[in-house]
Amino acid sequence: MSMTPKSSFFRSEGRVIGLVLWATGFVFVAIMVATWIGAERAKPVLLDLETGKPVVRRPAL
């Protein structure tokens, strides 16, 4: 029989905190992937700042 520390609310508090951490990480990654897919589907057009016309090719990063 294991002792519950005085600062804990219940016995399996560590498991619950770990599960919440993993769930938060999963949701974060899912949002990032959804944002990336949305940005790729939008097919943005780059415009030249001086003329306002579309740029023929992407600038080197």
Side-chain angles (χ1 to χ4, degrees), residues 22-57:
W22 278 103
T24 303
F26 177 76
V27 168
F28 175 75
V29 170
I31 290 171
M32 294 298 287
V33 168
T35 303
W36 176 65
I37 290 172
E40 289 293 321
R41 286 185 181 173
K43 298 191 187 235
V45 176
L46 299 175
L47 301 178
D48 186 4
L49 293 176
E50 293 177 3
T51 63
K53 295 181 181 178
V55 176
V56 177
R57 62 186 177 103

